[in-house]
Amino acid sequence: MNNGIVFDVGKLIASGEGVRDLYSFDIPLDFDDINMKSSVCGKAELMRIEEGVNARLTDVEMLIGGRCDKCLKKIDNKVNIDQMERQFFLHKPSYIENPNDTFFIDEKTFTIDLTEPLRQEIILHFPLVQVCSKSCKGICPICGKDRNKEECNCKPIKTEGNNPLAVLKNLIK
Ligand SMILES: [Zn+2]
Ligand SMILES: [Zn+2]
């Protein structure tokens, strides 16, 4: 993993509650489990709250590589996250029961790191259905030809609801 989405909150911590910092970002990110095809861009609003900093990211956009569910061609999916919000604490508040979901301000560098929460949001926002185009004809389940490139003479089979390509796709991965 390289740089990550990290913001310096030193000044913000020294200011009063309700003070905000606004940023635009465009940062290349690397994840082990996500095939990033572009940098991640978006806007960040950091606000001083009593316990630390509230970080709100909006209009986050990136391209992620995948495969068309129908013809298996490699494609880039545009992923948008309209809004995500996390609180970063200076100290562990007594009312928090599950510290695994809790984020902290780095006490040495006075920075917050949004890389891991962003990774989780990307996975939640990844399209369930990936297609290269709405008109993709897919691969013929009988002869295996890409019907976008070549017509075949096989009798069409309805594949909705039960996708014979699922097995083929798993083999190709
Ligand atoms: Zn396709
Ligand atoms: Zn065919």
Side-chain angles (χ1 to χ4, degrees), residues 56-88:
R56 186 164 166 262
L57 301 187
T58 53
D59 303 326
V60 182
E61 276 185 20
M62 74 218 77
L63 290 176
I64 295 177
R67 276 183 196 276
C68 173
D69 287 336
K70 289 181 171 176
C71 71
L72 308 180
K73 191 169 85 175
K74 283 188 178 173
I75 53 169
D76 290 344
N77 296 283
K78 193 171 180 189
V79 174
N80 294 291
I81 300 165
D82 290 339
Q83 174 176 304
M84 61 175 276
E85 206 161 359
R86 295 290 187 282
Q87 279 85 45
F88 288 80

Short mmCIF file of all heavy atoms in Angstrom, two decimals, residues 56-88:
data_model
loop_
_atom_site.label_atom_id
_atom_site.label_comp_id
_atom_site.label_asym_id
_atom_site.label_seq_id
_atom_site.Cartn_x
_atom_site.Cartn_y
_atom_site.Cartn_z
N ARG A 56 -15.70 14.00 6.64
CA ARG A 56 -16.78 13.71 5.71
C ARG A 56 -16.22 13.80 4.29
O ARG A 56 -15.71 14.85 3.90
CB ARG A 56 -17.88 14.75 5.93
CG ARG A 56 -19.13 14.54 5.15
CD ARG A 56 -20.24 15.41 5.76
NE ARG A 56 -21.35 15.47 4.84
CZ ARG A 56 -21.55 16.49 3.99
NH1 ARG A 56 -20.75 17.53 4.00
NH2 ARG A 56 -22.55 16.45 3.14
N LEU A 57 -16.28 12.70 3.55
CA LEU A 57 -15.85 12.70 2.15
C LEU A 57 -17.08 12.73 1.27
O LEU A 57 -18.05 12.02 1.53
CB LEU A 57 -15.01 11.46 1.82
CG LEU A 57 -13.73 11.21 2.62
CD1 LEU A 57 -12.97 10.03 2.02
CD2 LEU A 57 -12.85 12.44 2.69
N THR A 58 -17.05 13.54 0.22
CA THR A 58 -18.17 13.60 -0.71
C THR A 58 -17.66 13.53 -2.15
O THR A 58 -16.49 13.83 -2.40
CB THR A 58 -18.99 14.91 -0.54
OG1 THR A 58 -18.10 16.02 -0.61
CG2 THR A 58 -19.72 14.94 0.79
N ASP A 59 -18.57 13.15 -3.06
CA ASP A 59 -18.27 13.09 -4.50
C ASP A 59 -16.98 12.32 -4.79
O ASP A 59 -16.15 12.77 -5.59
CB ASP A 59 -18.17 14.50 -5.09
CG ASP A 59 -19.44 15.30 -4.85
OD1 ASP A 59 -20.52 14.68 -4.87
OD2 ASP A 59 -19.35 16.52 -4.63
N VAL A 60 -16.82 11.19 -4.16
CA VAL A 60 -15.62 10.39 -4.36
C VAL A 60 -15.80 9.53 -5.61
O VAL A 60 -16.84 8.90 -5.80
CB VAL A 60 -15.36 9.49 -3.12
CG1 VAL A 60 -14.08 8.69 -3.30
CG2 VAL A 60 -15.29 10.34 -1.85
N GLU A 61 -14.80 9.56 -6.48
CA GLU A 61 -14.89 8.84 -7.76
C GLU A 61 -13.61 8.12 -8.09
O GLU A 61 -12.53 8.62 -7.79
CB GLU A 61 -15.13 9.85 -8.90
CG GLU A 61 -16.57 10.23 -9.08
CD GLU A 61 -16.73 11.13 -10.29
OE1 GLU A 61 -15.83 11.16 -11.17
OE2 GLU A 61 -17.74 11.83 -10.34
N MET A 62 -13.74 6.97 -8.74
CA MET A 62 -12.56 6.23 -9.19
C MET A 62 -12.98 5.19 -10.22
O MET A 62 -14.17 4.88 -10.35
CB MET A 62 -11.89 5.54 -8.00
CG MET A 62 -12.65 4.34 -7.52
SD MET A 62 -12.67 4.15 -5.74
CE MET A 62 -13.88 5.37 -5.25
N LEU A 63 -11.99 4.64 -10.91
CA LEU A 63 -12.25 3.53 -11.84
C LEU A 63 -11.64 2.26 -11.27
O LEU A 63 -10.51 2.27 -10.78
CB LEU A 63 -11.60 3.81 -13.20
CG LEU A 63 -12.22 4.92 -14.05
CD1 LEU A 63 -11.40 5.11 -15.32
CD2 LEU A 63 -13.67 4.60 -14.41
N ILE A 64 -12.42 1.18 -11.33
CA ILE A 64 -11.96 -0.10 -10.81
C ILE A 64 -12.13 -1.17 -11.88
O ILE A 64 -13.19 -1.29 -12.49
CB ILE A 64 -12.74 -0.47 -9.53
CG1 ILE A 64 -12.41 0.56 -8.44
CG2 ILE A 64 -12.39 -1.88 -9.06
CD1 ILE A 64 -13.17 0.36 -7.18
N GLY A 65 -11.06 -1.92 -12.11
CA GLY A 65 -11.08 -2.94 -13.15
C GLY A 65 -11.92 -4.15 -12.75
O GLY A 65 -11.96 -4.53 -11.59
N GLY A 66 -12.59 -4.72 -13.74
CA GLY A 66 -13.37 -5.94 -13.51
C GLY A 66 -13.61 -6.62 -14.84
O GLY A 66 -12.89 -6.36 -15.81
N ARG A 67 -14.62 -7.50 -14.87
CA ARG A 67 -14.95 -8.19 -16.12
C ARG A 67 -16.44 -8.09 -16.37
O ARG A 67 -17.24 -8.16 -15.44
CB ARG A 67 -14.61 -9.68 -16.00
CG ARG A 67 -13.17 -10.01 -16.31
CD ARG A 67 -12.97 -11.50 -16.25
NE ARG A 67 -11.56 -11.84 -16.16
CZ ARG A 67 -10.75 -11.93 -17.22
NH1 ARG A 67 -11.23 -11.74 -18.43
NH2 ARG A 67 -9.49 -12.22 -17.06
N CYS A 68 -16.80 -7.97 -17.66
CA CYS A 68 -18.21 -7.98 -18.04
C CYS A 68 -18.81 -9.33 -17.63
O CYS A 68 -18.24 -10.38 -17.92
CB CYS A 68 -18.34 -7.78 -19.54
SG CYS A 68 -20.02 -7.97 -20.16
N ASP A 69 -19.95 -9.28 -16.92
CA ASP A 69 -20.61 -10.53 -16.49
C ASP A 69 -21.09 -11.37 -17.67
O ASP A 69 -21.30 -12.56 -17.54
CB ASP A 69 -21.82 -10.20 -15.60
CG ASP A 69 -21.39 -9.71 -14.23
OD1 ASP A 69 -20.26 -10.04 -13.81
OD2 ASP A 69 -22.17 -9.00 -13.59
N LYS A 70 -21.31 -10.71 -18.82
CA LYS A 70 -21.87 -11.45 -19.96
C LYS A 70 -20.80 -11.99 -20.91
O LYS A 70 -20.84 -13.14 -21.30
CB LYS A 70 -22.82 -10.54 -20.74
CG LYS A 70 -24.11 -10.24 -20.00
CD LYS A 70 -24.97 -9.36 -20.86
CE LYS A 70 -26.36 -9.19 -20.29
NZ LYS A 70 -27.13 -8.24 -21.12
N CYS A 71 -19.85 -11.13 -21.30
CA CYS A 71 -18.87 -11.58 -22.31
C CYS A 71 -17.48 -11.77 -21.70
O CYS A 71 -16.56 -12.21 -22.41
CB CYS A 71 -18.81 -10.61 -23.48
SG CYS A 71 -18.03 -9.03 -23.08
N LEU A 72 -17.31 -11.43 -20.42
CA LEU A 72 -16.06 -11.64 -19.67
C LEU A 72 -14.91 -10.74 -20.12
O LEU A 72 -13.78 -10.89 -19.67
CB LEU A 72 -15.60 -13.11 -19.74
CG LEU A 72 -16.65 -14.15 -19.35
CD1 LEU A 72 -16.07 -15.55 -19.47
CD2 LEU A 72 -17.15 -13.92 -17.94
N LYS A 73 -15.21 -9.77 -20.99
CA LYS A 73 -14.19 -8.82 -21.40
C LYS A 73 -13.76 -7.99 -20.19
O LYS A 73 -14.58 -7.68 -19.32
CB LYS A 73 -14.80 -7.90 -22.48
CG LYS A 73 -13.81 -7.03 -23.20
CD LYS A 73 -14.48 -6.40 -24.41
CE LYS A 73 -15.21 -5.12 -24.00
NZ LYS A 73 -15.78 -4.40 -25.14
N LYS A 74 -12.48 -7.61 -20.14
CA LYS A 74 -12.02 -6.74 -19.05
C LYS A 74 -12.61 -5.35 -19.22
O LYS A 74 -12.57 -4.80 -20.32
CB LYS A 74 -10.49 -6.65 -19.06
CG LYS A 74 -9.84 -7.89 -18.50
CD LYS A 74 -8.35 -7.72 -18.34
CE LYS A 74 -7.76 -8.98 -17.74
NZ LYS A 74 -6.29 -8.93 -17.71
N ILE A 75 -13.14 -4.79 -18.15
CA ILE A 75 -13.74 -3.46 -18.23
C ILE A 75 -13.33 -2.63 -17.01
O ILE A 75 -12.88 -3.18 -16.00
CB ILE A 75 -15.29 -3.51 -18.31
CG1 ILE A 75 -15.85 -4.34 -17.15
CG2 ILE A 75 -15.75 -4.08 -19.63
CD1 ILE A 75 -17.35 -4.23 -17.01
N ASP A 76 -13.50 -1.32 -17.14
CA ASP A 76 -13.30 -0.43 -16.00
C ASP A 76 -14.66 0.03 -15.50
O ASP A 76 -15.48 0.52 -16.26
CB ASP A 76 -12.49 0.81 -16.42
CG ASP A 76 -11.05 0.44 -16.72
OD1 ASP A 76 -10.61 -0.67 -16.33
OD2 ASP A 76 -10.36 1.25 -17.36
N ASN A 77 -14.91 -0.16 -14.21
CA ASN A 77 -16.17 0.28 -13.61
C ASN A 77 -15.95 1.61 -12.91
O ASN A 77 -15.01 1.75 -12.14
CB ASN A 77 -16.63 -0.72 -12.54
CG ASN A 77 -16.96 -2.07 -13.11
OD1 ASN A 77 -18.01 -2.27 -13.70
ND2 ASN A 77 -16.04 -3.02 -12.96
N LYS A 78 -16.85 2.56 -13.18
CA LYS A 78 -16.78 3.82 -12.45
C LYS A 78 -17.51 3.63 -11.12
O LYS A 78 -18.65 3.21 -11.09
CB LYS A 78 -17.45 4.92 -13.28
CG LYS A 78 -17.15 6.30 -12.76
CD LYS A 78 -17.64 7.35 -13.73
CE LYS A 78 -17.34 8.72 -13.19
NZ LYS A 78 -17.98 9.77 -14.00
N VAL A 79 -16.81 3.90 -10.04
CA VAL A 79 -17.43 3.74 -8.72
C VAL A 79 -17.54 5.12 -8.07
O VAL A 79 -16.56 5.87 -8.03
CB VAL A 79 -16.61 2.77 -7.83
CG1 VAL A 79 -17.16 2.72 -6.42
CG2 VAL A 79 -16.61 1.37 -8.45
N ASN A 80 -18.74 5.45 -7.61
CA ASN A 80 -19.00 6.73 -6.95
C ASN A 80 -19.42 6.49 -5.51
O ASN A 80 -20.25 5.63 -5.26
CB ASN A 80 -20.16 7.46 -7.62
CG ASN A 80 -19.84 7.88 -9.03
OD1 ASN A 80 -19.01 8.75 -9.24
ND2 ASN A 80 -20.47 7.22 -9.98
N ILE A 81 -18.86 7.26 -4.62
CA ILE A 81 -19.34 7.26 -3.24
C ILE A 81 -19.82 8.69 -2.97
O ILE A 81 -19.01 9.62 -2.91
CB ILE A 81 -18.22 6.85 -2.26
CG1 ILE A 81 -17.73 5.43 -2.60
CG2 ILE A 81 -18.72 6.93 -0.82
CD1 ILE A 81 -16.42 5.07 -1.96
N ASP A 82 -21.13 8.86 -2.86
CA ASP A 82 -21.69 10.20 -2.68
C ASP A 82 -21.20 10.83 -1.38
O ASP A 82 -20.86 11.99 -1.33
CB ASP A 82 -23.22 10.16 -2.67
CG ASP A 82 -23.76 9.82 -4.04
OD1 ASP A 82 -23.02 10.01 -5.02
OD2 ASP A 82 -24.91 9.36 -4.12
N GLN A 83 -21.21 10.01 -0.33
CA GLN A 83 -20.83 10.55 0.97
C GLN A 83 -20.43 9.45 1.93
O GLN A 83 -21.05 8.39 1.97
CB GLN A 83 -22.03 11.29 1.57
CG GLN A 83 -21.76 11.76 2.97
CD GLN A 83 -22.89 12.58 3.56
OE1 GLN A 83 -23.29 13.58 2.97
NE2 GLN A 83 -23.42 12.17 4.67
N MET A 84 -19.38 9.68 2.67
CA MET A 84 -19.03 8.79 3.78
C MET A 84 -18.52 9.66 4.92
O MET A 84 -17.96 10.73 4.71
CB MET A 84 -17.99 7.75 3.37
CG MET A 84 -16.66 8.31 2.90
SD MET A 84 -15.42 7.04 2.56
CE MET A 84 -14.77 6.75 4.20
N GLU A 85 -18.75 9.20 6.14
CA GLU A 85 -18.41 10.02 7.29
C GLU A 85 -17.84 9.13 8.38
O GLU A 85 -18.36 8.04 8.64
CB GLU A 85 -19.69 10.70 7.79
CG GLU A 85 -19.48 11.97 8.52
CD GLU A 85 -20.75 12.82 8.58
OE1 GLU A 85 -21.79 12.42 8.02
OE2 GLU A 85 -20.69 13.89 9.20
N ARG A 86 -16.74 9.55 9.00
CA ARG A 86 -16.16 8.81 10.12
C ARG A 86 -15.69 9.81 11.18
O ARG A 86 -15.25 10.91 10.84
CB ARG A 86 -14.94 7.98 9.68
CG ARG A 86 -15.23 6.86 8.70
CD ARG A 86 -15.99 5.71 9.33
NE ARG A 86 -16.11 4.58 8.42
CZ ARG A 86 -16.97 4.50 7.41
NH1 ARG A 86 -17.81 5.47 7.16
NH2 ARG A 86 -17.00 3.41 6.64
N GLN A 87 -15.74 9.37 12.43
CA GLN A 87 -15.20 10.19 13.51
C GLN A 87 -13.84 9.64 13.92
O GLN A 87 -13.66 8.42 14.02
CB GLN A 87 -16.12 10.16 14.74
CG GLN A 87 -17.30 11.13 14.64
CD GLN A 87 -18.45 10.51 13.89
OE1 GLN A 87 -18.80 9.37 14.14
NE2 GLN A 87 -19.05 11.26 12.98
N PHE A 88 -12.92 10.55 14.12
CA PHE A 88 -11.58 10.19 14.61
C PHE A 88 -11.41 10.82 15.98
O PHE A 88 -11.59 12.03 16.14
CB PHE A 88 -10.50 10.71 13.64
CG PHE A 88 -10.45 9.94 12.36
CD1 PHE A 88 -11.36 10.20 11.34
CD2 PHE A 88 -9.51 8.94 12.16
CE1 PHE A 88 -11.33 9.47 10.15
CE2 PHE A 88 -9.46 8.22 10.98
CZ PHE A 88 -10.37 8.48 9.98
#
